[in-house]
Amino acid sequence: MLTRRSLVVISTLLCAHAAAAGLDWPAYGGDQGGTRYSAAREITAANVDGLRVEWLVRTGDMARREPALMKRIKFETTPVLADGKLVLCTPFNEVIALDPGTGRELWRFDPKVATDRRPANRYNCRGVAQWRDVDAPADARLDAPCSHRIFTGTVDARLIALDARTGQRCSAFGANGEVVLDTGALRWPGEFQVSSAPVVAGGAVIVGSSINDNGRAAAPSGKVRAFDARTGAPKWAWDAVPRSATDPAAASWGEGWRTAGAANVWAPMSIDEARGLVFLPTSSPSPDFYGGLRPGANRHADSVVALHIADGRMAWAFQITKHDVWDYDVPAQPTLTTLNLDGVARDVVIQGTKQGLLFVLDRDTGAPVFPVEERAVPQGGAPGEVLAPTQTLPVGMPALVPLRLRPEDAFGFTPYDRNACRQRIEALRNDGLYTPPTTQGSLLFPFTGGGVNWGGVAVTPAGVVIVNTSRAAHVVKLIARADFDAAKAAEPDKEISPQFGTPFGMRRTLLTSPFGAPCNPLPWGAIAALDLTTRRMLWEVPLGTTEELLPLGIARRTGTPNFGGPLATAGGLVFIGAAMDRYLRAFDAASGAELWRGRLPAAGMATPMTYAWQGRQYVVIAAGGHGEAGAATNDAIVAFALPAPGQAGRSLWARTIDQPGGRFWAGAGGVAMALLVLGAMLCARRRRVTLRGR
């Protein structure tokens, strides 16, 4: 007879086998390096059209939370597979463990976060981290509570450790299983939060933070914190903003280092355990759109930074954006892979940016693997501003999005709205990439939501990067302090932020036509494949349709702005949700052809994951919409799989691109176009959409 202990041993061995084969998903990005690649290969181009909904689970938020509160969420979670359990977090930081094969709930932990806050990044939890105490005695690893832990950060600035078996608090960690992060004095409770998953290695759990962008110059510190994974005792903290005049970086901040905040790490981090390094994507210093109080390049902000896990010492840093006044922070997890370049294996870090640029850095030194150059950029910003004279751009690496929007590029469904867009572009300061914010109003293209955003990239063992991008433009206008209150009162529904402590507030809006459509050319969202060994774009196709945005389900294949990332598999497929319509899609990794789409209860604006369980491959995505982007919110987790032996075939939830919402609507002519324009006009009057990322 099998005892409980025997079952635990068998389960542990099976999980270890799956991990060794690369068929599980142990970390937020698939692995500690964030490759978003799986060796699972049961689902292929030949059989993907047989995918069906295997199970669908709801977290309960739609039933238990007020509708007004649900509009303030982002359900961006990507589950991890932890010791035979699928573990995820909800926007309200509940942690839920599910049976991977059935979706049955195994345990649930509720940290009971307050729901009367105004979180800087809405209510949001992208994922959790797991950790096994390898130094515990072998017997204890099987049975002792908390020898296998789940770590999660919360909207109210706590780091919590849970027993992976039961979901109970690990009482030896901090105070009753949690550490309260020292945020300093906040202007309101939601000014500081944790939204991305922690990372764990070397006995340390490391956590970043999300901080309100444009409230004030003296924003909370964006320091990254490390704690002992067993006890919760502080190990180290690292701040991108220098806090002493003796810091070599201080000279690049003027006197701004004394008061500047943020430069935080809100996006996911990566780990190289063999090197003992953690890789940080740092963000912009406070505030985003005026840097007159922090003259200089502001070193280590807007950078990829490698720290030693043991003590937090900086190994190297590579700055993406100097003296950021565009909210062009580093928005995505640094992705670790090995490239074969001229017959030599090279360990690298791949970093996509909001500007739509791709950098490849040496993992040991941070030096660019491919050439970069300093290029002169527009000057003459707002009074008191001292802009960086140059910015760093890759040489010979294709840009992932267009980098300039000229008046003659204006898009419109009709001559009327196209001309209106052209006039709006002509009225703005528009000197191309890195046009500085002004009191006149400046065009930011790409917009602050990307290019690339927090979904990051996937990379295959062959060195092919899969990346989704958004294409839209922002209009940013600086508002003199004396005029700020009147401007805010005149447009209470617009994003108008004070930037207290500086001479200017700011107004940020999407550049749209009178019909509410983006003024820049199609596509408005895309997915592409880039071969890093040749630095050549292999393919690019639009991502997303207007099916959920316009009346009558009119689905023009325009592409849409998108949030969430791609998943690549050994089966030769790329899975992605991310777009504003309600589909999980599968693309052929070699050609970019869309092979399948599975209908979701809401837009899947999260990154999917996959795993093999009891001989079958599952693909799972959170279908929660996106309150900030204007996509109706939900609380569903959906798992797709091929039919098991004896099961019925195709699910009615799956669509090929020949069905409504696919080729017919994409190619429809005059009638569909007229309806589209009418729908856009209606939507422009009803919909308030903010696309900032984060």
Side-chain angles (χ1 to χ4, degrees):
M1 177 178 178
L2 289 176
T3 64
R4 176 186 172 280
R5 182 179 179 80
S6 299
L7 291 172
V8 171
V9 172
I10 292 171
S11 173
T12 302
L13 291 173
L14 289 174
C15 291
H17 173 74
L23 304 179
D24 64 346
W25 195 271
Y28 167 80
D31 51 43
Q32 293 277 56
T35 61
R36 294 170 185 80
Y37 176 83
S38 170
R41 59 176 66 243
E42 180 195 4
I43 305 169
T44 67
N47 61 24
V48 67
D49 62 351
L51 278 181
R52 49 172 284 163
V53 174
E54 184 66 19
W55 51 259
L56 184 153
V57 170
R58 298 189 180 276
T59 68
D61 282 334
M62 291 294 289
R64 294 186 288 115
R65 312 284 184 181
E66 292 295 325
L69 183 60
M70 289 302 292
K71 292 180 180 179
R72 294 162 56 198
I73 72 163
K74 300 176 183 178
F75 195 20
E76 297 176 345
T77 192
T78 298
V80 299
L81 194 63
D83 198 18
K85 302 174 186 68
L86 205 62
V87 184
L88 60 100
C89 56
T90 76
F92 301 100
N93 299 119
E94 291 186 68
V95 182
I96 303 172
L98 305 174
D99 182 288
T102 66
R104 178 175 62 89
E105 186 173 310
L106 302 175
W107 56 254
R108 177 186 293 243
F109 170 80
D110 185 357
K112 300 188 185 304
V113 299
T115 55
D116 59 353
R117 310 172 73 85
R118 290 186 293 118
N121 193 30
R122 304 216 173 192
Y123 288 94
N124 183 19
C125 180
R126 294 193 180 96
V128 301
Q130 63 171 314
W131 176 71
R132 293 180 185 274
D133 188 352
V134 296
D135 292 332
D139 289 345
R141 283 180 230 157
L142 296 175
D143 295 310
C146 293
S147 60
H148 183 193
R149 299 185 178 193
I150 300 294
F151 289 100
T152 185
T154 68
V155 69
D156 54 6
R158 288 179 283 163
L159 178 63
I160 300 174
L162 305 174
D163 187 333
R165 288 190 306 157
T166 65
Q168 299 297 308
R169 290 174 179 266
C170 295
S171 58
F173 182 85
N176 191 30
E178 68 179 47
V179 171
V180 178
L181 305 183
D182 178 14
T183 64
L186 302 180
R187 291 186 63 242
W188 76 92
E191 190 179 16
F192 180 108
Q193 68 186 105
V194 179
S195 55
S196 289
V199 292
V200 197
V205 53
I206 305 166
V207 63
S209 60
S210 182
I211 295 171
N212 182 64
D213 281 355
N214 295 298
R216 52 178 172 149
S221 167
K223 67 179 67 172
V224 175
R225 300 162 172 88
F227 300 90
D228 187 287
R230 297 179 186 85
T231 68
K235 289 178 71 74
W236 51 261
W238 181 86
D239 198 334
V241 181
R243 298 303 177 188
S244 165
T246 61
D247 189 315
S252 69
W253 290 77
E255 291 295 304
W257 62 267
R258 299 183 184 275
T259 56
N264 49 303
V265 176
W266 63 267
M269 297 172 278
S270 299
I271 292 285
D272 183 332
E273 290 203 67
R275 286 175 168 82
L277 296 177
V278 57
F279 299 89
L280 317 179
T282 66
S283 74
S284 48
S286 57
D288 286 342
F289 298 108
Y290 183 77
L293 305 182
R294 45 178 173 85
N298 307 150
R299 278 177 57 195
H300 304 154
D302 300 282
S303 300
V304 182
V305 178
L307 303 181
H308 293 281
I309 295 169
D311 55 17
R313 287 181 302 110
M314 190 175 72
W316 55 260
F318 179 86
Q319 191 165 38
I320 301 289
T321 308
K322 301 181 184 70
H323 190 77
D324 189 0
V325 292
W326 305 273
D327 194 16
Y328 280 163
D329 51 8
V330 185
Q333 183 177 24
T335 298
L336 312 184
T337 194
T338 301
L339 298 179
N340 188 329
L341 300 176
D342 299 322
V344 177
R346 189 85 177 267
D347 290 343
V348 301
V349 182
I350 302 169
Q351 187 64 63
T353 75
K354 288 183 176 180
Q355 298 94 308
L357 306 174
L358 198 70
F359 292 90
V360 182
L361 310 175
D362 184 274
R363 209 181 303 176
D364 289 310
T365 66
V369 171
F370 301 118
V372 300
E373 67 180 11
E374 294 297 309
R375 296 184 196 172
V377 294
Q379 298 294 296
E385 185 66 84
V386 182
L387 299 165
T390 65
Q391 295 288 347
T392 307
L393 282 87
V395 176
M397 183 75 73
L400 302 173
V401 298
L403 300 180
R404 182 96 191 231
L405 178 60
R406 302 166 300 177
E408 57 266 34
D409 299 326
F411 174 82
F413 293 116
T414 68
Y416 164 72
D417 61 312
R418 184 164 57 252
N419 186 59
C421 280
R422 180 183 59 78
Q423 292 177 350
R424 291 183 180 183
I425 295 170
E426 288 176 338
L428 298 168
R429 177 161 178 188
N430 178 22
D431 300 328
L433 185 64
Y434 298 115
T435 297
T438 59
T439 55
Q440 167 194 352
S442 296
L443 179 70
L444 268 62
F445 186 77
F447 76 144
T448 65
V452 181
N453 213 285
W454 56 264
V457 307
V459 61
T460 72
V464 174
V465 166
I466 309 295
V467 57
N468 54 298
T469 55
S470 298
R471 291 102 185 272
H474 267 140
V475 178
V476 171
K477 182 177 182 178
L478 295 178
I479 305 168
R481 180 62 55 210
D483 301 327
F484 179 79
D485 289 343
K488 182 70 173 176
E491 296 183 295
D493 292 332
K494 298 293 186 182
E495 185 190 5
I496 300 178
S497 300
Q499 300 191 143
F500 288 128
T502 76
F504 301 99
M506 56 76 63
R507 180 184 188 271
R508 172 169 49 184
T509 56
L510 286 171
L511 179 65
T512 58
S513 76
F515 295 159
C519 280
N520 52 289
L522 302 175
W524 296 321
I527 184 168
L530 173 66
D531 187 339
L532 284 180
T533 60
T534 63
R535 286 181 283 167
R536 183 172 63 89
M537 195 73 78
L538 301 179
W539 52 261
E540 179 183 274
V541 296
L543 177 61
T545 71
T546 59
E547 183 173 346
E548 303 299 331
L549 303 177
L550 298 177
L552 307 179
I554 299 171
R556 294 281 296 178
R557 200 172 178 222
T558 58
T560 71
N562 50 85
F563 295 109
L567 155 68
T569 74
L573 298 174
V574 174
F575 290 95
I576 190 167
M580 295 182 70
D581 56 10
R582 299 185 179 190
Y583 294 102
L584 175 67
R585 289 177 164 85
F587 294 88
D588 186 289
S591 68
E594 185 179 324
L595 302 177
W596 169 88
R597 62 179 67 166
R599 183 71 171 168
L600 300 170
M605 302 184 89
T607 303
M609 53 87 74
T610 190
Y611 55 91
W613 183 255
Q614 296 179 348
R616 300 175 68 196
Q617 183 183 352
Y618 295 78
V619 182
V620 175
I621 189 168
H626 198 291
E628 190 175 56
T633 55
N634 209 298
D635 64 352
I637 300 286
V638 186
F640 292 89
L642 297 173
Q647 282 186 326
R650 182 174 183 79
S651 169
L652 293 178
W653 280 55
R655 291 187 181 181
T656 67
I657 56 175
D658 294 308
Q659 293 178 291
R663 288 179 181 160
F664 172 76
W665 289 108
V671 174
M673 180 64 78
L675 290 172
L676 176 64
V677 171
L678 175 61
M681 294 175 67
L682 294 172
C683 290
R685 288 168 169 78
R686 298 176 183 172
R687 185 182 296 270
R688 177 178 178 253
V689 175
T690 303
L691 294 170
R692 298 179 295 130
R694 300 206 181 182

